[in-house]
Amino acid sequence: MIRALILAFVILALSPPAPAAHGDVREYHLTIAQSDVVINGTPRHAMTINGTVPGPVLRFTLGDEAVIHVHNTMKESTSLHWHGLLVPNDQDGVPLLTTPPIESGTTFTYRFPIKQTGTYWYHSHSGLQEQAGIYGALIIDEPPVAGVVPIREEVLLLSDWTDENPKEVMRALMTGNDWYPIRKKNFPSIFGAIEAGAFSEYLQREWSRMAPMDISDVAYDAFLVNGQSRINLAGAPGEKVRLRIINGSSATYFFVQFAQEKLEIVAADGMTVEPFSTPRVLMGIAETYDAIITIPGDGAYEFRATAQDGSGSASAFFGSGTVS
Ligand SMILES: [Cu+2]
C-alpha cells in the first residue's frame, strides 16, 4: 500500500506539467508624446504613441494576459480606452469615470485578460486627443491550430486628419458658422436656391441653423490609411488577403471598396459573421470589418476609403506596376 502510494507520488512528480489553459503575458510599452509626424510628405504637429500616428498594432492571442504600460510625457493628462474589449471596469480607460487619468509625467499599467478574438482598436478618451493622433489597432488571434496556416493579413486603420488644433475645430462647430462649408465649397447660394426653385427650403434651413450639408461637419486636410493618404502593400495575382479594416476617425463615415472586386465580409466589430460578398461597405465611426479580398491579377489594385461627403479619400494599393 505504502509502496503504491510512493510510486504514484513519484509518477506524479515526474510527469510533465499539463499545458497551461491560458496563454502568455503579453507586455507593451506605449509612450504618449507631443511631436511632429510626417503625413503626406509634410511635418505636422500631433499627439503620438511611440512616435507615430497611428500607434503600434497591439497583438494578442485569446487567453493572454495583457499588460500595457502607458508613459505620459505630455504636459496634459491622458488615457487609453480599449474600444470593444470586455475588460474589468477599472481598466476601461475612461478618465474620471472608470480609471484615473494618467497625469503628465506618470505611468499607468493596464492589466486585463484577453477573453475574445477579432479586430478592435484603442484610443485616448481624454478631451479631443483622439483627433490629434492617439489611436491604434488592437488585434486578437485565435490560438493557432496545428496544420492550419492562416492567410496573409493587413490591418487598415482609417482616420481623418486636420492641421487645426482640434479645440479650434470644436470651437468652430459650436459657433454654428459656415467656415467648414465654405472651405469644402458646399456653401449654398441664395441665388442658386432661387434659380433651382428651392427658396423656401433655403429659408427653412437658414431658420434651423443647421450646416448646409450635414453629412460631415468638418473640412479635413487629409484622410489616412495607416497614417498616410496613399500606401503600397504586397500582392500577388490570385492571392487572398484578410483585411482588418478599422474606422478610427473622429467624424468621418467611409465608403470602402477594392478595385472592381467584391469584399467578402467575414467579421464585423470583432464578431465573425456568416460570410457575404459586397462591392462596398459604408463604415460608421469606430466600426471594424474583416474582409477577404482576392488580388485579381498582375498590377496594382486599389483599396479605397472615400469620405461619405466625397471630400477626399485614402488608398492602399495591393501589388505593384500598372494600377488596374
Ligand atoms: Cu471608442
Side-chain angles (χ1 to χ4, degrees):
M1 174 67 188
I2 288 187
R3 197 182 283 177
L5 269 178
I6 290 172
L7 189 65
F9 179 75
V10 169
I11 289 169
L12 268 178
L14 292 180
S15 57
H22 292 286
D24 306 325
V25 173
R26 289 285 296 158
E27 208 165 352
Y28 287 96
H29 284 268
L30 303 179
T31 299
I32 300 188
Q34 283 179 287
S35 57
D36 282 359
V37 286
V38 176
I39 296 173
N40 300 343
T42 307
R44 327 218 186 191
H45 197 61
M47 290 181 175
T48 57
I49 307 171
N50 292 359
T52 59
V53 174
V57 177
L58 306 185
R59 198 129 198 160
F60 300 96
T61 302
L62 181 67
D64 281 354
E65 175 85 10
V67 177
I68 306 164
H69 309 281
V70 182
H71 312 287
N72 179 14
T73 68
M74 300 196 298
K75 289 196 184 78
E76 59 190 85
S77 70
T78 190
S79 59
L80 286 182
H81 167 69
W82 318 101
H83 193 106
L85 256 65
L86 304 166
V87 299
N89 200 46
D90 63 354
Q91 303 298 301
D92 199 41
V94 182
L96 307 177
L97 184 66
T98 64
T99 319
I102 307 170
E103 299 296 347
S104 168
T106 68
T107 293
F108 182 84
T109 299
Y110 291 91
R111 213 177 271 271
F112 47 86
I114 297 290
K115 299 199 283 194
Q116 62 207 105
T117 60
T119 303
Y120 302 95
W121 65 300
Y122 61 97
H123 58 84
S124 168
H125 216 295
S126 301
L128 305 172
Q129 293 176 358
E130 193 258 325
Q131 175 77 88
I134 305 184
Y135 51 85
L138 193 156
I139 310 295
I140 308 168
D141 295 309
E142 304 269 359
V145 178
V148 176
V149 182
I151 60 171
R152 185 162 72 88
E153 290 187 7
E154 293 291 350
V155 174
L156 300 175
L157 176 44
L158 312 175
S159 60
D160 43 24
W161 176 263
T162 172
D163 287 329
E164 285 180 84
N165 183 325
K167 286 177 185 156
E168 288 302 308
V169 175
M170 186 60 120
R171 201 183 55 80
L173 292 175
M174 299 295 278
T175 58
N177 67 27
D178 294 318
W179 165 239
Y180 291 124
I182 290 166
R183 274 189 59 191
K184 285 201 281 191
K185 298 191 177 66
N186 62 9
F187 186 70
S189 90
I190 187 163
F191 302 110
I194 292 167
E195 234 174 67
F199 184 58
S200 70
E201 286 83 352
Y202 177 88
L203 287 181
Q204 223 169 32
R205 190 200 52 73
E206 284 292 295
W207 180 250
S208 74
R209 291 184 56 82
M210 292 292 285
M213 301 293 172
D214 205 28
I215 291 176
S216 177
D217 297 324
V218 181
Y220 280 104
D221 292 295
F223 298 99
L224 310 178
V225 51
N226 298 350
Q228 304 293 332
S229 290
R230 188 189 164 113
I231 60 171
N232 294 294
L233 297 165
E239 188 189 10
K240 283 187 187 299
V241 184
R242 183 191 186 106
L243 310 182
R244 293 180 177 272
I245 314 163
I246 302 160
N247 183 354
S249 70
S250 290
T252 304
Y253 279 43
F254 285 106
F255 283 113
V256 302
Q257 61 195 103
F258 175 58
Q260 306 301 322
E261 306 296 312
K262 287 198 167 162
L263 301 160
E264 189 190 2
I265 305 294
V266 294
D269 294 334
M271 310 287 283
T272 41
V273 297
E274 203 173 301
F276 67 97
S277 288
T278 176
R280 69 174 187 171
V281 180
L282 177 62
M283 290 185 70
I285 295 154
E287 286 186 332
T288 79
Y289 280 104
D290 287 21
I292 294 174
I293 55 166
T294 307
I295 315 273
D298 272 323
Y301 291 86
E302 183 180 12
F303 168 91
R304 188 186 294 174
T306 308
Q308 192 188 12
D309 69 352
S311 62
S313 64
S315 298
F317 290 88
F318 286 84
S320 53
T322 322
V323 174
S324 301

